[in-house]
Amino acid sequence: MGLSRKYGTAITEGPTPADVAGQAALPYPDGWAAVAFSEELTRGKVLTRPLAGEDVVLYRLGTGALRAVKPYCPHLGAHLGLGKVDGEDLVCPFHLFAFGPDGACVRTGYETAPPRSPLGQYPVCEVNGAVFVWRHHDGRAPDWTVPEWHVVGHRPARSGVWEMAGHAQEVIENSVDLGHFATLHGWRRAEIGGPVRYDGAEFRLSMRAHESAPVLGEFTVDVRVEGYGLAALHVDVHTPRVGLRMCTTVLPTAIGPNRMQLRQLNRLTFDEPARLPAPLARAVSRAATRVLDRAVFKASCAFTAADFPVWHHKQYVQPPRLAHGDGPIGPFRRWARRFYPPQPVMAPASAGRTDTHPGPGAGAEVTPAPGAGAEVTPGADGIPSPAPGGSSRREGAPGRVGAPEPGLPERSERPSPH
């Protein structure tokens, strides 16, 4: 009996999370990845965030500029996430070696000549209320940008962040997975409103959802999606029946094998009633936004969270066995190949057969059923030829790129001043 007491009565049951199941993980995607909200990095603040299996140390200088550096001091390896900002310098907590904005060591803690041991820096971009860090498997410099998006409303944005098993591509791919909007999110019907357009590192599509509610009856929701790499979705939502306009930013970041963080930022407003005088219409719009802001944000997060259990446990299947009604998943995966290292050719699995590594976008084997993927623009495979990186051409100012100058996860929710 004594021996039996060493063992608990609980047993492991239920689905195994993706990062524990031991399935092959997708590679870390190249490009920009969101690692923080801008509001988290006040002047002089030092943060450490995970990205692609490593720590990245972020800090804001006295001038307001941002820096992102590799985590260990080149002197004797102390973690710089424990350091502090002194004016424009990051100071190591161990021997007080200080590093200037360009990463060069400018002084030691004992007034001796500083060694030539610069910090390893990452390009960093602050745009749309978020901080992005650039990472590429072969060290390539940024060759596309995350543009500055328009905003709606007059109130501060609301934001949330979660951590779970899963991969960033699954989040971005959801935007073209037309079928799941009905089966998982409860849309009565949805259709893509035109061809999905791929241009370098970005893509665009529009959808119309048909829904019903007890008070409103049947109504439509118009959705426009812009995607940038495998790191960012900007979603415009308009519900004409109630005059709701909402901008949602969804930012998945790969932090480890089959593990990710997910950030979401929302802004909303209500149309000014056309039948009212302008001052009164403006007051009604602002009052409705103020009263419903939090409730609509919670509903938006609940919509996103319906996918969490799926992402947390799912396996990436390549090639998928697509069916009519899925949406253009095959063409999306072929486009997504550009954000990964080239896949090596594997040895023949059996006589007379040669397989390639079933990587993130090995799309030659993807054979959609009739009608699946019909929305893509014409061309080879329905998309431009993949090329490393790509350009992001869009009207509006680009984000500021700061290269070195000469159950399920908990969620934090907070209003953002941006």
Side-chain angles (χ1 to χ4, degrees), residues 34 128 132 146 149 168-176 181 201-205 207 224-236 247-252 262-266 304 311 332 335:
N128 306 315
F132 294 83
V146 178
W149 300 317
Q169 180 175 320
E170 304 277 19
V171 179
I172 305 299
E173 185 175 297
N174 250 32
S175 60
V176 300
F181 287 113
E202 65 185 76
F203 70 93
R204 296 185 182 90
L205 72 149
M207 291 180 287
R224 290 190 297 114
V225 179
E226 297 177 357
Y228 298 90
L230 299 181
L233 290 174
H234 180 234
V235 185
D236 275 311
C247 284
T248 300
T249 304
V250 180
L251 307 168
L262 180 67
R263 292 173 173 81
Q264 180 169 318
L265 187 145
N266 284 50
T304 306
W311 292 335
F332 173 88
W335 168 80

Side-chain angles (χ1 to χ4, degrees), residues 215-346:
V215 177
L216 296 176
E218 294 189 3
F219 61 96
T220 60
V221 181
D222 295 319
V223 181
R224 290 190 297 114
V225 179
E226 297 177 357
Y228 298 90
L230 299 181
L233 290 174
H234 180 234
V235 185
D236 275 311
V237 177
H238 182 212
T239 309
R241 186 72 175 270
V242 296
L244 171 65
R245 295 182 185 272
M246 181 170 64
C247 284
T248 300
T249 304
V250 180
L251 307 168
T253 299
I255 62 172
N258 282 329
R259 194 156 188 85
M260 65 178 173
Q261 290 180 347
L262 180 67
R263 292 173 173 81
Q264 180 169 318
L265 187 145
N266 284 50
R267 292 182 175 88
L268 67 90
T269 189
F270 284 87
D271 294 336
E272 298 178 6
R275 298 181 179 179
L276 298 178
L280 180 58
R282 186 178 305 110
V284 169
S285 170
R286 290 189 170 227
T289 303
R290 183 178 64 255
V291 171
L292 297 174
D293 185 25
R294 181 177 177 83
V296 173
F297 174 70
K298 290 181 69 175
S300 177
C301 288
F303 185 91
T304 306
D307 289 284
F308 288 1
V310 177
W311 292 335
H312 191 64
H313 299 99
K314 81 184 297 293
Q315 176 185 355
Y316 182 81
V317 174
Q318 181 64 30
R321 304 306 182 194
L322 297 177
H324 180 69
D326 283 332
I329 294 173
F332 173 88
R333 289 193 175 186
R334 292 191 285 274
W335 168 80
R337 279 182 294 187
R338 69 188 60 226
F339 303 107
Y340 294 102
Q343 294 293 333
V345 176
M346 305 296 286

Side-chain angles (χ1 to χ4, degrees), residues 35-37 40 47-51 54-56 58 261 263:
V35 291
F37 292 116
E40 297 178 87
L47 287 179
T48 301
R49 290 292 160 83
L51 174 62
E54 299 179 349
D55 284 351
V56 175
L58 308 164
Q261 290 180 347
R263 292 173 173 81

Side-chain angles (χ1 to χ4, degrees), residues 22 27 36 50 74 88 95 104 134 152 165 191 240 250 265 297 309 336 364 388 403 415:
E88 301 304 293
H95 297 91
W134 173 273
V152 300
E191 62 262 359
V250 180
L265 187 145
F297 174 70

Side-chain angles (χ1 to χ4, degrees), residues 3 5 11-12 18 61 98 112 127 151 171 196 230 235 275-276 286 298 305 325 346 370 373 378 398 416:
L3 182 62
R5 294 193 186 101
I11 62 172
T12 299
L61 305 176
T112 56
V127 64
V151 297
V171 179
V196 179
L230 299 181
V235 185
R275 298 181 179 179
L276 298 178
R286 290 189 170 227
K298 290 181 69 175
M346 305 296 286
S416 167

